[in-house]
Amino acid sequence: MTTSLPDIHTASVIGAGAWGTTLARHLVNQGLTVKLWAYEKEVVGSINLKGENALFLPGVTLPEALSATHSLQDAAAGTGLIVLAVPSHAMRPVIRELTPSLSEPLPIVVASKGIEEESNQLMSQVLNELLPPDWARKITVLTGPSFAAEVSRDKPTTILLAGQDSGLTTHLQMALMSASFRVYTGTDMIGAQLGGALKNVMAIAAGVVDGLDLGLNARAALITRGLAEVIRLGVALGADVHTFYGLSGLGDLVLTCTGALSRNHAVGLQLGRGRRLEDILNDTVTVAEGVRTTKAAMALAQRVQVDMPIVQGVHAMLFDGTPPKQIVADLMSRSAKEETPFSSSGPSG
């Protein structure tokens, strides 16, 4: 079943962090009329008066046509497309407040990467719970290796758009594609979201490796074995194993575990250098999704009885106070195992 859609001329981007602002800029440059909703009133003022999101995306000049608002009702009025870019922990309350302003099903692009901590649900699952059933096929997810700082400067980026309705995803693909922003489509929404969320946990671990100065060998091993854990959990939850070899899996994992722009890697780096998590988080205005996602990943792994030693180690470090060096020692001293090939059932532990 596919959906025939008219051309989309208007869009509402909900969430004005670096990524939401970047996507709003991109959509305006694609010819759409865009309203950007920001929780912070100072962000609204900065965008509307100065043409810059000085808090979350400093130094990037925004199009004059981009309009920011603090009202969800105003943001949703007359829109033909909704792009959700709020942090995962804010998704449920924002959707609850937004829903009364939505009179009919509209295409939704979920651009948030995370798992809801309380319910351990993916963002699409939160939406399916809160929205009427006829919205389900309108929901898509946008994920992949995409630092906002680079996309906002039109550096080449390739990303994945996954959804149930191939007609809708193709339609949105054409609306989003540009010379610097290449979009692939897919149908595995579970795998796409898990890859985008769990890579943040692995990025914290990779940051710890770098903070402890353990070397490039250790970082490469971390990325490889981290991918193995992501695949094991993904397959157990119904994802297609092949998704994790693509942009939302391996691509995003490599980027966030090695890129200096990764917020989650930065958290791990400082943890490896001996700083307390509370102090690190207090010093930043941006959200490191991996901290919250670690709790959800542990709960999901326990629920489906999947072995995730790296996630377990990150959890112990973040929430139990286990020293990073002890986590590394524990991982390196695990019992000897055979590395089996990746298959439809996932790799071994």
Side-chain angles (χ1 to χ4, degrees):
M1 178 179 176
T2 59
T3 302
S4 177
L5 291 170
D7 290 339
I8 296 172
H9 300 290
T10 58
S12 301
V13 178
I14 310 300
W19 187 222
T21 303
T22 294
L23 289 173
R25 172 190 178 274
H26 176 69
L27 290 170
V28 170
N29 290 339
Q30 291 293 96
L32 277 68
T33 299
V34 179
K35 286 185 179 180
L36 173 61
W37 176 82
Y39 174 78
E40 301 86 357
K41 291 184 177 179
E42 63 267 31
V43 171
V44 175
S46 178
I47 293 172
N48 290 338
L49 298 176
K50 301 177 181 178
E52 178 189 12
N53 186 337
L55 183 61
F56 295 116
L57 198 65
V60 175
T61 301
L62 301 174
E64 291 184 7
L66 178 59
S67 171
T69 179
H70 184 63
S71 165
L72 281 171
Q73 183 177 5
D74 178 39
T79 192
L81 170 68
I82 298 171
V83 178
L84 298 172
V86 297
S88 60
H89 66 272
M91 185 66 74
R92 186 177 292 270
V94 166
I95 293 301
R96 280 178 173 157
E97 187 176 345
L98 180 65
T99 300
S101 301
L102 305 174
S103 58
E104 60 182 1
L106 297 170
I108 294 179
V109 175
V110 179
S112 306
K113 297 178 179 179
I115 304 172
E116 189 176 53
E117 188 177 341
E118 295 78 10
S119 68
N120 303 321
Q121 289 181 326
L122 301 172
M123 295 299 96
S124 66
Q125 294 168 335
V126 173
L127 295 184
N128 284 330
E129 180 183 325
L130 297 177
L131 295 173
D134 54 349
W135 282 75
R137 295 187 67 84
K138 298 287 189 178
I139 299 170
T140 62
V141 295
L142 187 71
T143 185
S146 50
F147 284 147
E150 294 191 355
V151 178
S152 66
R153 290 171 172 82
D154 299 318
K155 294 190 175 183
T157 300
T158 306
I159 204 163
L160 171 69
L161 181 71
Q164 295 182 38
D165 189 320
S166 61
L168 174 60
T169 54
T170 300
H171 191 75
L172 294 174
Q173 177 188 37
M174 294 299 101
L176 291 168
M177 286 266 285
S178 73
S180 61
F181 196 75
R182 181 168 178 81
V183 181
Y184 286 85
T185 61
T187 58
D188 181 15
M189 295 176 66
I190 294 176
Q193 290 176 94
L194 282 173
L198 296 176
K199 55 89 181 179
N200 287 326
V201 181
M202 301 307 166
I204 293 175
V208 170
V209 167
D210 292 339
L212 292 173
D213 196 23
L214 300 182
L216 300 179
N217 294 346
R219 187 207 285 170
L222 184 282
I223 293 171
T224 307
R225 297 313 304 167
L227 179 61
E229 292 191 19
V230 172
I231 291 175
R232 279 202 300 274
L233 181 61
V235 170
L237 292 174
D240 182 345
V241 66
H242 297 94
T243 301
F244 300 108
Y245 305 140
L247 292 165
S248 65
L250 181 60
D252 215 354
L253 182 65
V254 170
L255 180 71
T256 52
C257 287
T258 63
L261 296 175
S262 168
R263 292 167 296 192
N264 293 282
H265 181 276
V267 169
L269 187 71
Q270 294 179 73
L271 286 169
R273 291 173 176 171
R275 291 198 70 199
R276 296 170 60 247
L277 177 63
E278 182 179 2
D279 295 334
I280 297 169
L281 298 181
N282 285 338
D283 285 348
T284 179
V285 297
T286 58
V287 176
E289 285 279 10
V291 175
R292 292 176 180 272
T293 301
T294 298
K295 285 187 177 181
M298 272 292 293
L300 287 173
Q302 292 170 353
R303 189 178 83 191
V304 295
Q305 298 183 323
V306 167
D307 186 28
M308 301 187 77
I310 296 174
V311 170
Q312 184 177 351
V314 173
H315 188 278
M317 179 177 57
L318 295 179
F319 305 112
D320 300 333
T322 305
K325 288 185 178 179
Q326 183 61 52
I327 300 298
V328 174
D330 291 344
L331 288 170
M332 292 298 292
S333 61
R334 296 175 70 232
S335 60
K337 296 179 180 292
E338 176 186 6
E339 184 181 50
T340 55
F342 288 30
S343 67
S344 60
S345 60
S348 68

